[in-house]
């Protein structure tokens, strides 16, 4: 199907565009956490034109900014309706052209204020290539949205040329793994490695990860295992008209939400924490006893509640609190941090390598105990996850199985 710019302009005039909402599910809670707004052109005869047909045409001219300007009030209106049902977040797609000047940014900020919508409920999606090719003006016009508290999602992550470079230069709060990567991830170990390493890297950078295009339970469970925290895809639901999305949210469906992948992330965080501390301590003992540098070590958070393993333990990790090994983890972990704190003090007070040998050994022993408990917990989690997966696959417990809502 081919459409012309004239037809698009006509459709804007006749108000034939609307948003459908594709639910996103948290792999931590197993519940719907929001949706992506996806534009649909509904013709007078009821037929639907997908964005793949007209967005590329609109992108070639300034028509895309017309569409965005026309659609944003609709999005705010839908958010107001959704507010009565839930306060879940919504992401919407933008084009680099929308940020060539500050008009759209102003519209967004003004509308949110006028209608009292919390900025945290909105995320701006921008494809990686747009960020990559953009000049400084795009960043300059998108930054105020980020500063106001809106999320910024790098859409189609993995399809551009230099994702890492773009990520380091932009204040993205999420990456969205491209559906091509997801569809191929079970085909080869290499593809799976791309998903896993992207997820780990995002975790390290403090950025959340969402996978799009999840079409079956095998993909879902592998993503759960890899530490990905949100997904969307036909296996959950296609994009739905607002009223059907509301019914979907109200149904309060649950998906398996045992985030085993996060245990693995916690183990990696712990290893990193220990490495950073030990490296800093060993560097510092080489300084003269009274060197001021010894007092200003670049150490990671010393409290066992503030390190990343601790943050996981006292938050998402609590989902595992019915397990003995989860509780066995707390004491060695806090002792480990106490020894870390002692070491920092000793080095600050002028200790030599010899002086810190014994507490360093204790630190390693406690770390091994922490790791052993995390591994047992991960094994138990994996075993439960696969048992549940098996049950779902063969007992057809999943309410949505094979039943994709029709657009
Ligand atoms: P996107 O932002 O990457 O959106 C995801 C696309 O993948 C959507 O197609 C969605 O329906 C589809 N999808 C979701 N789950 C699955 C799955 O499990 N399997 C498969 N095969 N596909 C899945 P859609 O709605 O046709 O949108 C296509 C693209 O059009 C979007 O890609 C986005 O780049 C653009 N787009 C959509 N709405 C807007 C909009 O309001 N403004 C702008 N500028 N672009 C939009
Ligand atoms: Mg998108
Ligand atoms: Mg995408």
């Amino acid at each position: 199907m081919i459409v012309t710019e004239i037809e698009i302009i006509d459709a804007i005039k006749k108000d034939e565009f609307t948003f459908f909402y594709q639910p996103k599910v948290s792999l931590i809670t197993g519940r719907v956490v929001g949706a992506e707004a996806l534009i649909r052109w509904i013709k007078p005869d009821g037929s639907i034109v997908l964005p793949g047909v007209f967005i590329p045409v609109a992108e070639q001219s300034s028509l895309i900014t017309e569409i965005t300007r026309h659609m944003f009030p609709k999005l705010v209106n839908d958010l107001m309706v959704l507010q009565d049902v839930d306060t879940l977040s919504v992401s919407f797609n933008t084009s680099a052209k929308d940020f060539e000047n500050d008009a759209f940014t102003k519209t967004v900020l003004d509308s949110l204020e006028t209608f009292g919508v919390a900025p945290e409920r909105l995320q701006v999606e921008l494809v990686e290539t747009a960020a990559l090719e953009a000049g400084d003006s795009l960043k300059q016009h998108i930054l105020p949205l980020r500063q106001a508290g809106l999320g910024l999602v790098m859409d189609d992550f993995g399809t551009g040329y230099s994702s890492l470079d773009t990520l380091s230069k932009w204040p993205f709060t999420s990456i969205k793994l491209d559906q091509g990567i997801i569809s191929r991830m079970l085909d080869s170990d290499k593809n799976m490695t791309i998903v896993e390493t992207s997820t780990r890297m995002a975790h390290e950078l403090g950025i959340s990860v969402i996978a799009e295009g999840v079409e079956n339970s095998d993909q879902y469970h592998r993503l759960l295992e890899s530490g990905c925290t949100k997904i969307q895809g036909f296996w959950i639901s296609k994009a739905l008209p607002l009223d059907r999305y509301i019914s979907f949210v109200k149904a309060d469906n649950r998906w398996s939400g045992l985030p085993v992948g996060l245990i693995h992330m916690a183990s990696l965080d712990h290893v990193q924490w220990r490495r950073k501390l030990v490296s800093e301590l060993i560097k510092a003992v080489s300084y003269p006893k009274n060197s001021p540098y010894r007092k200003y070590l670049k150490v990671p958070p010393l409290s066992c509640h503030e390190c990343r393993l601790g943050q996981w333990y006292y938050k998402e990790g609590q989902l595992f609190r019915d397990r003995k090994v989860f509780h066995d983890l707390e004491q060695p972990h806090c002792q480990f941090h106490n020894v870390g704190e002692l070491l920092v003090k000793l080095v600050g007070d002028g200790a030599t390598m010899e002086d810190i040998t014994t507490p360093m050994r204790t630190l390693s022993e406690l770390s091994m105990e922490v790791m052993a408990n995390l591994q047992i917990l991960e094994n138990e989690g994996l075993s439960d996850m696969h048992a549940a997966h098996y049950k779902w696959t063969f007992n057809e417990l999943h309410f949505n199985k094979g039943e994709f809502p029709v657009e």
Side-chain angles (χ1 to χ4, degrees), residues 19 22 36 39-40 51 93 155-156 179 212-213 215 233-234:
F19 278 127
Q22 184 176 37
E36 174 174 10
I39 194 168
R40 297 291 181 263
N93 296 281
D155 203 354
D156 300 349
Q179 52 180 282
E212 74 179 349
E215 293 189 345
F234 293 170

Side-chain angles (χ1 to χ4, degrees), residues 74-124:
K74 286 175 187 279
L75 186 76
V76 173
N77 203 45
D78 288 355
L79 275 171
M80 303 297 288
V81 175
L82 279 168
Q83 201 143 298
D84 297 335
V85 190
D86 66 65
T87 50
L88 306 181
S89 69
V90 168
S91 63
F92 66 102
N93 296 281
T94 57
S95 151
K97 286 203 167 84
D98 293 323
F99 299 102
E100 274 174 0
N101 56 48
D102 63 1
F104 181 59
T105 304
K106 276 193 173 147
T107 307
V108 173
L109 295 176
D110 290 350
S111 316
L112 296 188
E113 197 177 330
T114 308
F115 295 97
V117 177
E120 293 73 27
R121 290 186 60 203
L122 262 190
Q123 289 137 23
V124 179

Side-chain angles (χ1 to χ4, degrees), residues 124-379:
V124 179
E125 295 199 9
L126 189 72
V127 292
E128 182 190 349
T129 37
L132 202 64
E133 287 157 13
D136 278 349
S137 85
L138 194 145
K139 205 190 281 180
Q140 182 192 325
H141 296 128
I142 233 171
L143 263 178
L145 297 179
R146 187 58 213 100
Q147 281 155 356
L150 281 87
L152 181 60
V153 184
M154 185 193 272
D155 203 354
D156 300 349
F157 179 84
T159 53
Y161 303 104
S162 77
S163 312
L164 300 180
D165 191 41
T166 320
L167 263 186
S168 71
K169 290 184 185 150
W170 283 73
F172 283 101
T173 50
S174 281
I175 56 169
K176 197 180 251 195
L177 300 177
D178 182 61
Q179 52 180 282
I181 294 179
I182 302 304
S183 73
R184 291 188 297 271
M185 74 182 206
L186 300 178
D187 295 350
S188 76
D189 287 348
K190 255 190 195 164
N191 290 340
M192 193 62 222
T193 306
I194 293 175
V195 171
E196 286 170 348
T197 46
S198 305
T199 307
R200 273 208 293 275
M201 178 202 61
H203 176 81
E204 284 281 311
L205 296 172
I207 294 174
S208 70
V209 181
I210 173 157
E212 74 179 349
V214 176
E215 293 189 345
N216 57 56
S217 79
D218 287 340
Q219 290 169 346
Y220 177 92
H221 286 90
R222 285 306 291 271
L223 287 164
L224 201 59
E225 202 177 327
S226 75
C228 176
T229 48
K230 272 186 221 154
I231 60 144
Q232 68 183 90
F234 293 170
W235 193 64
I236 300 297
S237 166
K238 279 194 172 179
L240 306 167
L242 183 65
D243 57 342
R244 285 183 55 198
Y245 171 63
I246 290 174
S247 309
F248 194 88
V249 173
K250 278 189 178 161
D252 199 20
N253 303 307
R254 305 288 167 92
W255 285 263
S256 156
L258 198 63
V260 270
L262 294 187
I263 306 174
H264 185 60
M265 296 290 176
S267 311
L268 296 176
D269 287 337
H270 176 72
V271 172
Q272 292 273 33
W273 193 100
R274 187 177 55 76
R275 222 197 81 226
K276 269 188 200 150
L277 181 84
V278 169
S279 150
E280 198 60 21
L281 291 171
I282 292 181
K283 188 168 80 185
V285 288
S286 69
Y287 297 145
K289 267 180 178 248
N290 51 2
S291 163
Y293 290 113
R294 284 178 171 252
K295 297 275 184 209
Y296 301 102
L297 304 187
K298 278 197 205 136
V299 291
L302 291 174
S303 148
C304 63
H305 287 256
E306 282 170 26
C307 73
R308 293 178 77 159
L309 166 57
Q311 286 181 25
W312 164 82
Y313 189 89
Y314 297 104
K315 221 170 139 203
E316 296 99 341
Q318 291 296 315
L319 287 163
F320 297 94
R321 66 174 177 269
D322 57 341
R323 286 156 205 273
K324 183 180 171 301
V325 67
F326 179 76
H327 296 280
D328 292 347
L329 185 60
E330 189 173 19
Q331 206 192 15
H333 179 235
C334 287
Q335 282 173 353
F336 167 84
H337 276 270
N338 292 342
V339 177
E341 209 170 338
L342 171 73
L343 278 160
V344 171
K345 188 175 179 313
L346 289 174
V347 169
D349 291 345
T352 61
M353 192 65 210
E354 205 186 340
D355 297 334
I356 63 166
T357 305
T358 307
M360 281 284 236
R361 191 170 301 137
T362 312
L363 190 80
S364 292
E365 283 162 5
L366 287 165
S367 173
M368 281 190 274
E369 207 178 321
V370 168
M371 289 300 285
N373 285 329
L374 280 168
Q375 277 163 25
I376 297 169
L377 186 65
E378 188 180 2
N379 294 350

Side-chain angles (χ1 to χ4, degrees), residues 57-72:
V57 179
E59 286 266 11
Q60 279 162 21
S61 65
S62 59
L63 249 189
I64 189 69
T65 58
E66 288 295 313
I67 295 183
T68 311
R69 203 164 45 207
H70 176 72
M71 293 307 287
F72 192 72

